[in-house]
Amino acid sequence: MSLASDVRASATALGPWPGNDPAEAIRIIRGELGDPHLPFLPELPARGVGSDAVGRTGSLLVDLDIDVQPHGWRLVDRPGKDERRASSALATDINILADVAGAEDVSATDFKLQLMGPLSLAASLHLHNGERALLDYGARRDIAESLAASVTEHLRKVSAAVPGARLVVQVDEPDIASVMAGTIPTASGYRTLRSIDGEEVTGAWRLVIDALKAAGVVETVISVPEIEAPIDRILAAGADGVAVPLKALTTRQWEQLAGAVESGKRVWAGALWTGDPRAQLPRTAEVVESIWKPWRQLGLEASGLAGLRVTPSTGLEDFTPSAAKDVLTKLTKVADGLDQLAQG
Protein backbone atom coordinates (compact mmCIF):
# COMPACT_ATOMS: atom_id res chain seq x y z
CA MET A 1 0.00 0.00 0.00
CA SER A 2 1.04 3.57 -0.58
CA LEU A 3 -0.21 4.67 2.83
CA ALA A 4 2.53 5.99 5.10
CA SER A 5 4.22 3.41 7.32
CA ASP A 6 3.14 5.24 10.47
CA VAL A 7 -0.56 4.92 9.58
CA ARG A 8 -2.60 3.12 12.23
CA ALA A 9 -6.02 1.52 12.03
CA SER A 10 -8.61 4.01 13.20
CA ALA A 11 -12.26 4.31 14.16
CA THR A 12 -14.98 6.72 13.16
CA ALA A 13 -18.77 6.69 12.75
CA LEU A 14 -20.98 7.61 9.82
CA GLY A 15 -22.44 10.88 11.11
CA PRO A 16 -26.05 10.47 12.36
CA TRP A 17 -26.15 10.74 16.16
CA PRO A 18 -28.92 10.50 18.80
CA GLY A 19 -30.54 13.32 20.71
CA ASN A 20 -30.81 17.02 20.01
CA ASP A 21 -27.87 18.44 21.97
CA PRO A 22 -24.99 19.20 19.59
CA ALA A 23 -22.63 20.25 22.40
CA GLU A 24 -23.05 16.92 24.22
CA ALA A 25 -22.65 15.02 20.95
CA ILE A 26 -19.49 16.86 19.92
CA ARG A 27 -17.91 16.45 23.37
CA ILE A 28 -18.59 12.69 23.41
CA ILE A 29 -17.29 12.17 19.88
CA ARG A 30 -14.12 14.19 20.38
CA GLY A 31 -13.55 12.57 23.77
CA GLU A 32 -13.77 9.05 22.35
CA LEU A 33 -12.05 9.63 19.02
CA GLY A 34 -8.68 11.20 19.76
CA ASP A 35 -5.69 10.39 17.53
CA PRO A 36 -5.33 8.19 15.54
CA HIS A 37 -9.13 8.05 15.31
CA LEU A 38 -11.38 10.35 13.30
CA PRO A 39 -13.81 12.67 15.13
CA PHE A 40 -16.63 14.13 13.04
CA LEU A 41 -19.36 16.75 12.94
CA PRO A 42 -22.49 14.86 14.03
CA GLU A 43 -25.88 15.05 12.36
CA LEU A 44 -28.81 15.14 14.81
CA PRO A 45 -31.95 14.27 12.82
CA ALA A 46 -34.05 14.19 16.02
CA ARG A 47 -33.93 18.00 15.99
CA GLY A 48 -36.40 17.88 13.11
CA VAL A 49 -36.68 19.60 9.74
CA GLY A 50 -33.36 20.86 8.45
CA SER A 51 -31.25 18.55 10.60
CA ASP A 52 -31.93 15.60 8.31
CA ALA A 53 -29.22 14.65 5.79
CA VAL A 54 -31.10 16.06 2.77
CA GLY A 55 -31.89 19.40 4.37
CA ARG A 56 -28.39 19.77 5.79
CA THR A 57 -26.60 19.29 2.48
CA GLY A 58 -29.37 20.93 0.47
CA SER A 59 -29.01 24.12 2.51
CA LEU A 60 -25.41 24.43 1.28
CA LEU A 61 -26.29 24.41 -2.43
CA VAL A 62 -25.20 27.48 -4.40
CA ASP A 63 -27.88 29.18 -6.56
CA LEU A 64 -30.42 26.46 -5.71
CA ASP A 65 -32.98 26.86 -2.93
CA ILE A 66 -35.07 24.25 -1.13
CA ASP A 67 -38.18 24.08 1.04
CA VAL A 68 -40.26 21.31 2.60
CA GLN A 69 -43.49 20.23 0.90
CA PRO A 70 -45.82 17.36 1.92
CA HIS A 71 -43.81 14.93 -0.24
CA GLY A 72 -40.40 16.08 1.02
CA TRP A 73 -37.76 18.67 0.13
CA ARG A 74 -38.44 20.58 -3.09
CA LEU A 75 -36.33 22.89 -5.24
CA VAL A 76 -37.88 26.36 -5.10
CA ASP A 77 -37.21 29.84 -6.52
CA ARG A 78 -36.21 31.54 -3.28
CA PRO A 79 -35.05 30.41 0.18
CA GLY A 80 -37.82 29.72 2.69
CA LYS A 81 -38.04 29.13 6.43
CA ASP A 82 -37.02 25.46 6.19
CA GLU A 83 -33.79 26.22 4.34
CA ARG A 84 -33.01 29.00 6.82
CA ARG A 85 -33.66 26.60 9.67
CA ALA A 86 -31.25 24.04 8.16
CA SER A 87 -28.57 26.69 7.60
CA SER A 88 -29.00 28.00 11.14
CA ALA A 89 -28.67 24.53 12.70
CA LEU A 90 -25.49 23.83 10.76
CA ALA A 91 -24.00 27.23 11.67
CA THR A 92 -24.82 26.56 15.35
CA ASP A 93 -23.09 23.18 15.19
CA ILE A 94 -19.94 24.67 13.67
CA ASN A 95 -19.85 27.40 16.34
CA ILE A 96 -20.23 24.79 19.09
CA LEU A 97 -17.48 22.70 17.47
CA ALA A 98 -15.18 25.74 17.62
CA ASP A 99 -15.94 26.21 21.34
CA VAL A 100 -15.39 22.53 22.23
CA ALA A 101 -12.24 22.17 20.11
CA GLY A 102 -10.87 25.46 21.42
CA ALA A 103 -11.13 24.23 25.02
CA GLU A 104 -9.16 21.02 24.37
CA ASP A 105 -5.57 20.59 25.50
CA VAL A 106 -4.75 18.37 22.52
CA SER A 107 -6.81 18.43 19.33
CA ALA A 108 -7.20 15.51 16.93
CA THR A 109 -5.08 15.72 13.78
CA ASP A 110 -7.94 14.96 11.38
CA PHE A 111 -11.62 15.91 11.33
CA LYS A 112 -14.48 14.56 9.22
CA LEU A 113 -17.67 15.99 7.85
CA GLN A 114 -20.41 14.35 5.81
CA LEU A 115 -22.21 15.51 2.68
CA MET A 116 -25.04 13.81 0.84
CA GLY A 117 -23.80 12.84 -2.61
CA PRO A 118 -25.21 14.34 -5.82
CA LEU A 119 -27.18 11.27 -6.97
CA SER A 120 -28.96 10.58 -3.67
CA LEU A 121 -29.59 14.33 -3.36
CA ALA A 122 -31.22 14.34 -6.82
CA ALA A 123 -33.31 11.34 -5.79
CA SER A 124 -34.43 13.12 -2.61
CA LEU A 125 -35.18 16.61 -3.95
CA HIS A 126 -38.37 17.26 -5.91
CA LEU A 127 -39.08 19.56 -8.85
CA HIS A 128 -41.95 22.07 -8.98
CA ASN A 129 -44.21 19.42 -10.55
CA GLY A 130 -43.60 17.01 -7.65
CA GLU A 131 -41.37 14.61 -9.59
CA ARG A 132 -37.92 13.81 -8.29
CA ALA A 133 -35.05 15.90 -9.66
CA LEU A 134 -33.44 12.58 -10.60
CA LEU A 135 -35.91 12.41 -13.50
CA ASP A 136 -34.36 15.43 -15.26
CA TYR A 137 -30.82 15.42 -16.69
CA GLY A 138 -30.49 19.19 -16.37
CA ALA A 139 -31.58 19.11 -12.72
CA ARG A 140 -29.13 16.30 -11.95
CA ARG A 141 -26.31 18.28 -13.54
CA ASP A 142 -27.32 21.49 -11.73
CA ILE A 143 -27.38 19.72 -8.35
CA ALA A 144 -23.93 18.16 -8.88
CA GLU A 145 -22.45 21.49 -10.03
CA SER A 146 -24.11 23.39 -7.18
CA LEU A 147 -22.84 20.91 -4.60
CA ALA A 148 -19.32 21.14 -6.03
CA ALA A 149 -19.52 24.95 -5.89
CA SER A 150 -20.69 24.89 -2.26
CA VAL A 151 -17.86 22.97 -0.67
CA THR A 152 -15.15 25.64 -0.58
CA GLU A 153 -17.06 28.02 1.70
CA HIS A 154 -18.42 25.22 3.89
CA LEU A 155 -14.96 23.75 4.38
CA ARG A 156 -13.54 27.19 5.14
CA LYS A 157 -16.02 27.57 8.01
CA VAL A 158 -15.27 24.12 9.42
CA SER A 159 -11.50 24.70 9.11
CA ALA A 160 -11.84 27.91 11.11
CA ALA A 161 -13.56 25.93 13.88
CA VAL A 162 -10.77 23.32 14.07
CA PRO A 163 -7.65 25.25 13.02
CA GLY A 164 -4.81 23.04 11.87
CA ALA A 165 -6.95 19.91 11.51
CA ARG A 166 -6.78 18.07 8.20
CA LEU A 167 -10.27 17.69 6.75
CA VAL A 168 -11.73 14.37 5.60
CA VAL A 169 -15.06 14.24 3.74
CA GLN A 170 -17.49 11.33 3.56
CA VAL A 171 -19.87 11.62 0.60
CA ASP A 172 -23.04 9.65 1.40
CA GLU A 173 -24.90 7.88 -1.42
CA PRO A 174 -27.53 5.78 0.40
CA ASP A 175 -29.78 5.51 -2.68
CA ILE A 176 -27.13 4.71 -5.28
CA ALA A 177 -28.15 1.09 -5.91
CA SER A 178 -31.75 2.15 -6.64
CA VAL A 179 -30.56 5.09 -8.77
CA MET A 180 -28.41 2.84 -10.94
CA ALA A 181 -30.95 -0.01 -11.07
CA GLY A 182 -33.88 2.23 -12.00
CA THR A 183 -36.07 1.18 -9.09
CA ILE A 184 -36.96 4.59 -7.59
CA PRO A 185 -40.71 5.24 -8.05
CA THR A 186 -42.19 8.24 -9.85
CA ALA A 187 -44.48 10.64 -7.98
CA SER A 188 -47.52 8.60 -9.01
CA GLY A 189 -45.94 5.37 -7.81
CA TYR A 190 -47.09 3.57 -10.96
CA ARG A 191 -43.73 3.65 -12.72
CA THR A 192 -40.08 3.85 -11.80
CA LEU A 193 -37.49 6.39 -12.92
CA ARG A 194 -35.09 5.14 -15.55
CA SER A 195 -31.68 4.00 -14.37
CA ILE A 196 -28.83 6.50 -14.43
CA ASP A 197 -25.88 5.51 -16.58
CA GLY A 198 -22.71 4.55 -14.72
CA GLU A 199 -20.62 7.07 -16.66
CA GLU A 200 -22.89 9.90 -15.51
CA VAL A 201 -22.65 8.66 -11.92
CA THR A 202 -18.85 8.59 -12.10
CA GLY A 203 -18.80 12.06 -13.68
CA ALA A 204 -21.02 13.60 -10.99
CA TRP A 205 -18.84 12.11 -8.26
CA ARG A 206 -15.67 13.26 -9.97
CA LEU A 207 -17.02 16.83 -10.13
CA VAL A 208 -17.60 16.89 -6.36
CA ILE A 209 -14.38 15.04 -5.48
CA ASP A 210 -12.28 17.41 -7.61
CA ALA A 211 -13.88 20.38 -5.84
CA LEU A 212 -13.19 18.85 -2.43
CA LYS A 213 -9.54 18.21 -3.29
CA ALA A 214 -9.16 21.73 -4.67
CA ALA A 215 -10.54 23.02 -1.35
CA GLY A 216 -7.79 21.18 0.56
CA VAL A 217 -9.51 17.98 1.70
CA VAL A 218 -6.91 15.28 2.44
CA GLU A 219 -9.20 12.25 2.06
CA THR A 220 -12.55 11.77 0.32
CA VAL A 221 -14.54 8.55 0.57
CA ILE A 222 -17.92 7.64 -0.85
CA SER A 223 -20.18 5.78 1.56
CA VAL A 224 -22.65 3.29 0.08
CA PRO A 225 -24.82 0.38 1.27
CA GLU A 226 -23.40 -3.08 0.56
CA ILE A 227 -26.21 -4.11 -1.81
CA GLU A 228 -24.89 -3.64 -5.37
CA ALA A 229 -22.17 -1.33 -4.03
CA PRO A 230 -20.53 0.20 -7.15
CA ILE A 231 -16.99 -0.03 -5.79
CA ASP A 232 -15.36 0.19 -9.22
CA ARG A 233 -17.30 3.38 -10.04
CA ILE A 234 -16.29 4.99 -6.74
CA LEU A 235 -12.61 4.38 -7.40
CA ALA A 236 -12.90 5.48 -11.05
CA ALA A 237 -14.29 8.82 -9.83
CA GLY A 238 -11.04 9.54 -7.99
CA ALA A 239 -12.21 8.86 -4.42
CA ASP A 240 -9.49 8.00 -1.93
CA GLY A 241 -11.56 5.13 -0.63
CA VAL A 242 -14.91 3.49 -0.12
CA ALA A 243 -17.02 3.16 3.04
CA VAL A 244 -19.25 0.08 3.02
CA PRO A 245 -20.87 -2.30 5.54
CA LEU A 246 -19.17 -5.71 5.49
CA LYS A 247 -22.01 -7.97 6.62
CA ALA A 248 -23.43 -8.95 3.21
CA LEU A 249 -20.53 -8.26 0.84
CA THR A 250 -20.18 -10.75 -2.01
CA THR A 251 -16.91 -12.47 -2.88
CA ARG A 252 -16.63 -10.22 -5.94
CA GLN A 253 -17.04 -7.10 -3.79
CA TRP A 254 -14.36 -8.33 -1.39
CA GLU A 255 -12.09 -8.86 -4.40
CA GLN A 256 -12.80 -5.30 -5.55
CA LEU A 257 -11.91 -4.00 -2.09
CA ALA A 258 -8.71 -6.06 -2.15
CA GLY A 259 -7.80 -4.48 -5.48
CA ALA A 260 -8.47 -1.06 -4.01
CA VAL A 261 -6.24 -1.76 -1.02
CA GLU A 262 -3.44 -3.02 -3.26
CA SER A 263 -3.62 0.16 -5.34
CA GLY A 264 -3.26 2.33 -2.24
CA LYS A 265 -6.92 3.21 -1.70
CA ARG A 266 -8.55 3.20 1.71
CA VAL A 267 -11.32 0.94 2.97
CA TRP A 268 -13.70 2.17 5.65
CA ALA A 269 -15.04 -1.12 6.94
CA GLY A 270 -18.56 -1.09 8.39
CA ALA A 271 -17.52 -4.01 10.57
CA LEU A 272 -19.63 -3.42 13.69
CA TRP A 273 -23.23 -4.39 12.98
CA THR A 274 -25.57 -1.77 14.48
CA GLY A 275 -28.83 -2.68 12.74
CA ASP A 276 -30.57 -3.34 16.08
CA PRO A 277 -29.86 -0.68 18.74
CA ARG A 278 -31.15 -3.07 21.46
CA ALA A 279 -28.71 -5.87 20.59
CA GLN A 280 -25.64 -6.41 22.69
CA LEU A 281 -22.42 -5.35 21.00
CA PRO A 282 -20.26 -8.29 19.89
CA ARG A 283 -16.91 -9.12 21.44
CA THR A 284 -14.01 -7.13 20.04
CA ALA A 285 -12.22 -10.31 18.93
CA GLU A 286 -15.26 -11.37 16.87
CA VAL A 287 -15.33 -8.08 14.97
CA VAL A 288 -11.58 -8.19 14.33
CA GLU A 289 -11.88 -11.77 13.03
CA SER A 290 -14.76 -10.79 10.70
CA ILE A 291 -12.28 -8.51 8.92
CA TRP A 292 -9.14 -10.61 9.28
CA LYS A 293 -10.62 -13.83 7.90
CA PRO A 294 -11.63 -12.55 4.42
CA TRP A 295 -8.52 -10.34 4.38
CA ARG A 296 -6.33 -13.41 4.84
CA GLN A 297 -8.32 -15.44 2.30
CA LEU A 298 -7.75 -12.75 -0.32
CA GLY A 299 -4.00 -12.97 0.24
CA LEU A 300 -3.68 -9.40 1.51
CA GLU A 301 -0.74 -8.50 3.72
CA ALA A 302 -1.46 -8.24 7.44
CA SER A 303 0.42 -4.93 7.46
CA GLY A 304 -2.34 -3.46 5.26
CA LEU A 305 -4.82 -3.72 8.13
CA ALA A 306 -3.20 -0.58 9.53
CA GLY A 307 -4.80 1.41 6.69
CA LEU A 308 -8.36 0.49 7.63
CA ARG A 309 -10.89 2.75 9.24
CA VAL A 310 -13.61 0.86 11.10
CA THR A 311 -17.17 2.18 11.38
CA PRO A 312 -20.60 1.01 12.50
CA SER A 313 -22.73 -0.53 9.75
CA THR A 314 -25.35 2.21 10.17
CA GLY A 315 -25.83 5.68 11.58
CA LEU A 316 -26.33 5.79 15.35
CA GLU A 317 -29.39 8.07 15.51
CA ASP A 318 -31.62 5.31 16.96
CA PHE A 319 -29.26 4.60 19.87
CA THR A 320 -29.18 6.44 23.18
CA PRO A 321 -26.23 8.85 23.56
CA SER A 322 -24.59 6.51 26.09
CA ALA A 323 -25.06 3.48 23.82
CA ALA A 324 -23.68 5.45 20.86
CA LYS A 325 -20.66 6.30 23.01
CA ASP A 326 -20.24 2.56 23.73
CA VAL A 327 -20.18 1.91 19.97
CA LEU A 328 -17.31 4.39 19.55
CA THR A 329 -15.43 2.77 22.45
CA LYS A 330 -15.88 -0.66 20.87
CA LEU A 331 -14.68 0.58 17.49
CA THR A 332 -11.48 2.03 18.97
CA LYS A 333 -10.78 -1.39 20.53
CA VAL A 334 -11.36 -3.08 17.16
CA ALA A 335 -8.91 -0.66 15.57
CA ASP A 336 -6.35 -1.51 18.28
CA GLY A 337 -6.85 -5.21 17.54
CA LEU A 338 -6.27 -4.66 13.83
CA ASP A 339 -3.12 -2.69 14.64
CA GLN A 340 -1.77 -5.60 16.67
CA LEU A 341 -2.33 -7.97 13.73
CA ALA A 342 -0.73 -5.47 11.34
CA GLN A 343 2.38 -5.32 13.49
CA GLY A 344 2.60 -9.10 13.61
Side-chain angles (χ1 to χ4, degrees):
M1 287 183 69
S2 62
L3 290 165
S5 58
D6 60 349
V7 165
R8 290 172 56 195
S10 58
T12 192
L14 297 175
W17 192 263
N20 53 21
D21 183 346
E24 177 196 45
I26 290 168
R27 278 195 294 269
I28 289 173
I29 289 163
R30 293 186 70 82
E32 292 296 315
L33 298 179
D35 281 339
H37 307 296
L38 184 61
F40 56 93
L41 189 65
E43 300 164 359
L44 303 172
R47 281 192 294 190
V49 169
S51 292
D52 58 292
V54 179
R56 203 163 168 89
T57 299
S59 72
L60 296 171
L61 294 175
V62 173
D63 296 331
L64 291 177
D65 292 303
I66 59 171
D67 211 353
V68 173
Q69 304 294 319
H71 49 260
W73 286 97
R74 188 177 75 169
L75 292 162
V76 292
D77 294 330
R78 61 185 63 83
K81 69 179 189 312
D82 299 315
E83 181 178 336
R84 287 192 290 271
R85 184 174 170 184
S87 297
S88 174
L90 183 55
T92 296
D93 291 356
I94 293 172
N95 288 336
I96 291 169
L97 170 66
D99 292 342
V100 174
E104 292 170 345
D105 294 330
V106 180
S107 289
T109 305
D110 294 346
F111 186 75
K112 174 173 75 84
L113 50 151
Q114 304 81 223
L115 295 171
M116 182 165 266
L119 281 311
S120 295
L121 206 53
S124 302
L125 293 175
H126 297 261
L127 302 171
H128 290 278
N129 63 6
E131 285 294 356
R132 296 174 193 270
L134 191 70
L135 176 75
D136 183 274
Y137 173 78
R140 296 196 301 271
R141 183 194 59 218
D142 289 349
I143 287 168
E145 290 177 350
S146 177
L147 182 59
S150 76
V151 300
T152 302
E153 178 63 14
H154 181 45
L155 291 165
R156 185 192 65 74
K157 292 175 181 175
V158 175
S159 282
V162 282
R166 304 185 311 167
L167 295 186
V168 175
V169 174
Q170 170 192 318
V171 178
D172 291 322
E173 287 283 10
D175 299 318
I176 195 60
S178 301
V179 166
M180 295 182 74
T183 58
I184 290 181
T186 58
S188 69
Y190 292 124
R191 295 186 301 113
T192 56
L193 301 181
R194 71 175 184 82
S195 61
I196 304 302
D197 174 71
E199 289 298 324
E200 184 184 333
V201 170
T202 304
W205 285 343
R206 187 178 290 121
L207 193 67
V208 174
I209 289 167
D210 287 350
L212 290 167
K213 289 182 176 176
V217 169
V218 299
E219 184 180 346
T220 303
V221 303
I222 297 182
S223 174
V224 292
E226 68 273 34
I227 305 302
E228 302 296 329
I231 294 166
D232 51 347
R233 289 276 165 208
I234 292 171
L235 301 176
D240 298 303
V242 55
V244 64
L246 301 186
K247 194 170 175 66
L249 284 186
T250 64
T251 302
R252 171 165 165 67
Q253 287 173 322
W254 269 110
E255 289 168 350
Q256 288 177 319
L257 290 179
V261 168
E262 288 173 335
S263 65
K265 299 290 187 177
R266 198 147 200 187
V267 173
W268 290 27
L272 184 61
W273 190 74
T274 45
D276 181 0
R278 298 159 302 179
Q280 190 171 356
L281 292 176
R283 291 170 44 248
T284 302
E286 285 175 28
V287 185
V288 170
E289 181 61 20
S290 73
I291 301 170
W292 176 226
K293 184 178 177 182
W295 194 269
R296 207 169 46 227
Q297 289 170 341
L298 288 162
L300 292 167
E301 297 285 339
S303 59
L305 293 168
L308 287 178
R309 291 200 196 276
V310 288
T311 77
S313 63
T314 65
L316 301 177
E317 65 271 32
D318 294 329
F319 284 64
T320 64
S322 64
K325 179 181 179 182
D326 291 342
V327 168
L328 298 188
T329 303
K330 176 65 70 175
L331 287 166
T332 62
K333 291 177 180 175
V334 171
D336 289 344
L338 292 170
D339 264 337
Q340 288 170 21
L341 285 171
Q343 293 162 13

